[in-house]
Amino acid sequence: MTDSWPAEGEPGSLTVADLLDLPVLRAACVLAGAAGLGAQVTGIGIADPATLAVTELQPGQVLLLTSPNDGHASVQQARWEHLIDVIVVRAKAAQTAAILLPPGTGELSSATQRLAERLGVPLLLRTVDHAGGADLEVAVELRCATRDVEAAERARLLRLATLPADRPRLPVDVVAALDEVTGGRSSVVSARRGLLAGPAVPVGVRAKLSSVDTPTVFGVGGIFGEVLTGGGEVAVVLPVWAMGEGTRGWAVVCRSVSGQRWADLTMRALGLVRGDLVAWLAVDQFEAEREASLRATVLTEIVEQAEGLSPVVARRAESVGWRLSGWHVGLYIRLDGAGRINSWTVDAVLARLSARGIEAGPAVERSDGWVAWMTTASPPSPQRLRAAVAVVREELVTLAPVLAGAKVVVGVGSARRDAPGIAKSVMEAREAALISGSDADAVTVHVVQDLGASSILLGWYGSPAFTDLAREVLGPLVEAEDPQLLATLAAYLERSCSTAHTARALGVHRNTVAHRLARVEKLLGISLAHPDTRLALQLALRADHDR
Amino acid sequence: MSRPGLTLSAGDVDRLAAGCRALGAGSTQIGAAAALLRAVLTDSGVVRLQEPQDRPDADRVWFLRVVGRFREAPPAQEFAATVRALWAALPSPPDAVAPLQVGGADGPLTVAAGALQAVPLLDLDGAGRGFPGLGHTVLAGALAATPAVLATGAGCTVRFDGLSIDALAAAVAAVGPALGSWGLLALHPCRADEARRYAVCGSLRRALDLPTGGRGAPVGTLVEVRSHPGGCVLTLDLDDGAILRIDAQEHYVLALCDGVVLAQAPDIIALADLRTGRHLAADAVRVGQRVRVDVFEAAPQVQAHRDRLGLAAYGLLTWDSAGSGPTGGDR
């Protein structure tokens, strides 16, 4: 299956691929000529292998070959297999849609398959696993399906809608019901927990799942999802949303061969089970929030009790899966600006870090970000810590598309031992994130050891007395009509008092920067030429920023 | 117009064997049969190949057929003894002999038998090629199959009387293996004028003069040999980009080029190894081999029996009954 799916066919018409979605042909396989699966089907013809060569072919017809009724199948096949080559050529000329071979047909010669492939004439092989696989029954079912496609599809959907259920169905029940109605391989995937039910989603489709969160791509009867292709599969994907939380999960139905009608039918079927999925995901969300709340409480208690952790808290920590012994390196993920990083996003990052050998989790949400820590049995070497930080940076950079312009500042604490170490390292990480602030990059990572003298000042300018002083010093700028003045002053001081660098960072002319700085000096009644003044203003700005 | 008779010597054996090999679809017995004929002709000198019309009408003609299989040539003494036993058991001594089918081992061994008994060889046969069965000839139904005599290499002789050709085939198949691994069967005794009327004339000369690989013969590489209970299907990638399918049993039966008939039985399809030029039996081909597909038209008498000697002779369903085959196309 290629990305050009579906290949041909008028909208609403029945194609060969659609025919393969019917229960009676669900187990059929395509031996060759897949390029012709998009051909429109207008009727079903029947032929006996003995009369195959003289059978009249019609455009749009699917020619059903009946089973030889005498002798061993392989012996019989040797008597008529050569006629398939002939009929393939005739089918191409007559624009016949496909040739349906009887059950028991053994492997065809390479010549036959390649000829059908070259001419794009689908060679389909029926199998006998369908209970009513007799030639006549198959022919009748196919003819009925081609006569009134809509009615046949409605009957299938009705079956899904009327399946008995005395409670919201679990994902595993939903998957079973979808499999039966659609003939595909169904899965329910949670954004937080991963695969909930059904087989693993093909890699090519899974990689695109997170992009299916907008209800505008593929709409059938008011149900919006998306059709993805990848790994030789076509997947109909229905995102399941929660209020204000974005996509919570996806229901996915895959098939290797499918037509547009199948996609439509499958989307309708997904719509019928969406209620079950929303209900289940709501329960899942409730449990998730309860777990998050418990984690936050335990972390608070660990920080508060620091050196003298009570056995109760230690047990609680174990109950949420935290290992208290060992060496911990705190991570503080802070969003610089408006917005919020939701738990699924953080969990996804932590899962990716885990896949790269860095165990950092589970995360705990705080008022201004998320806390996590990496734990190792022995103290990590500086080199190893640097490498881990580099990986953290790489993974967080992948968040850029969901940050909507906001910037992420990550603080990394130093390695500390056991439960008290968690509290210390997490505090250091927070300080590192607060002191440094963000730069031009979407994601900035600061390690506390790199902060040097800044960390000494942290305790001082973080005090209430200094923040009050800072507010007073900067008051005229905060209250000024032009908000650019405060930003220009901050940028000027952070860039070593270089008007050129400041102009470049702000995207304005250096004369504009000089002009704004002159107004700042006038408003504050100071001169930026004095080093002491510059230091005082820089501390005041930092205290005001972290307030 | 009568053509002058031809004398076959040991020097003609290779040419005759190559022709019989091609007309017999690369029969694997040809090598052994040719070796035996060479030995016989080296000892006996020559054998006369006569035009059918050069024999008096009342001359007694017998058709000879090799029964059973051998990979190596039977010892010359064993073969000579078998021929002598056969001659002794015949109800009437032959004035001339001819192979039942020129394709395969019948051709060379009939020449050898004629040389040993100093009996002229008539330039005709019953098929103009090789076929799998005794009944796959133009003589079936036209000439009585019996009396017939089977002489085996083990020294036994069996006479059959009052049997149709199908019954004779069944009887030989039943008793032959019990009497030895190979034998010579003499059947379809007839007058020379009957032989001229019903048989395929000029068969041995055709085998001797058979061209190998005419211009335009398709050339390609064998990419698949798929066996099934009755034979195999070959797939060739032709050099011009076409896909050639060849259905084979004991012989190559049908060649479809891109789904259009290139050749079919009773016309003769032969696959020649491009490297050696030698025609190959279906069970001797291998994937990757470069081959040339030679097609030789069946004799007119055989074409007239297409319904019996065509694909149906090999049990394949055919389109002939519809009156038009998928023989169109530009190939």
Side-chain angles (χ1 to χ4, degrees), chain A residues 62-79:
Chain A
V62 170
L63 185 65
L64 183 150
L65 293 189
T66 57
S67 311
N69 54 11
D70 55 337
H72 192 271
S74 61
V75 175
Q76 288 298 317
Q77 183 179 335
R79 296 186 66 225

Side-chain angles (χ1 to χ4, degrees), chain A residues 54 81-82 110 112 114 118, chain B residues 224 226 237 241 245 317 322:
Chain A
V54 293
E81 188 194 313
H82 58 286
S110 166
T112 305
R114 289 169 57 199
R118 178 186 289 181
Chain B
E224 186 191 63
R226 192 175 60 78
D237 279 348
R245 171 201 172 100
L317 293 178

Side-chain angles (χ1 to χ4, degrees), chain A residues 235-475:
Chain A
V236 179
V237 180
L238 179 76
V240 183
W241 300 288
M243 291 290 286
E245 288 286 351
T247 303
R248 278 294 167 115
W250 301 269
V252 185
V253 186
C254 295
R255 257 187 86 96
S256 53
V257 176
S258 65
Q260 181 67 50
R261 292 204 74 92
W262 176 80
D264 290 352
L265 175 88
T266 301
M267 189 57 77
R268 288 192 175 96
L270 287 170
L272 289 174
V273 299
R274 183 166 56 182
D276 293 298
L277 293 175
V278 168
W280 192 89
L281 287 169
V283 173
D284 187 49
Q285 182 180 357
F286 174 75
E287 288 180 359
E289 287 178 355
R290 196 176 60 177
E291 287 174 15
S293 172
L294 178 61
R295 285 204 299 264
T297 303
V298 174
L299 179 62
T300 303
E301 289 173 339
I302 289 174
V303 172
E304 285 173 352
Q305 298 179 11
E307 296 295 336
L309 195 65
S310 74
V312 175
V313 175
R315 275 200 300 276
R316 280 191 183 176
E318 285 172 9
S319 73
V320 296
W322 291 348
R323 199 176 89 190
L324 299 180
S325 62
W327 292 81
H328 311 285
V329 175
L331 293 176
Y332 202 94
I333 304 169
R334 191 169 68 84
L335 200 61
D336 191 8
R340 174 172 177 260
I341 309 174
N342 66 33
S343 60
W344 296 332
T345 305
V346 174
D347 283 349
V349 170
L350 295 181
R352 290 203 297 273
L353 288 175
S354 176
R356 299 183 66 177
I358 297 173
E359 297 298 337
V364 180
E365 188 166 19
R366 311 299 287 171
S367 60
D368 58 347
W370 289 82
V371 169
W373 56 90
M374 303 179 279
T375 302
T376 52
S378 55
S381 66
Q383 294 81 3
R384 194 172 164 193
L385 189 58
R386 293 276 170 213
V389 168
V391 172
V392 168
R393 185 197 305 272
E394 285 174 19
E395 290 301 335
L396 285 169
V397 164
T398 63
L399 292 180
V402 302
L403 295 178
K407 292 178 179 176
V408 170
V409 183
V410 181
V412 181
S414 53
R416 303 284 184 176
R417 191 168 189 179
D418 297 337
I422 293 176
K424 283 181 187 168
S425 190
V426 164
M427 289 304 295
E428 287 174 351
R430 181 170 185 272
E431 288 164 5
L434 290 175
I435 289 173
S436 309
S438 59
D439 57 19
D441 295 331
V443 175
T444 313
V445 180
H446 295 290
V447 182
V448 72
Q449 287 94 331
D450 296 341
L451 299 180
S454 300
S455 60
I456 300 172
L457 294 171
L458 183 69
W460 177 62
Y461 73 63
S463 67
F466 186 77
T467 50
D468 289 345
L469 179 63
R471 203 172 300 144
E472 188 179 329
V473 169
L474 297 174

Side-chain angles (χ1 to χ4, degrees), chain A residues 77-91:
Chain A
Q77 183 179 335
R79 296 186 66 225
W80 61 265
E81 188 194 313
H82 58 286
L83 297 181
I84 299 176
D85 290 52
V86 176
I87 212 74
V88 163
V89 175
R90 287 185 52 208

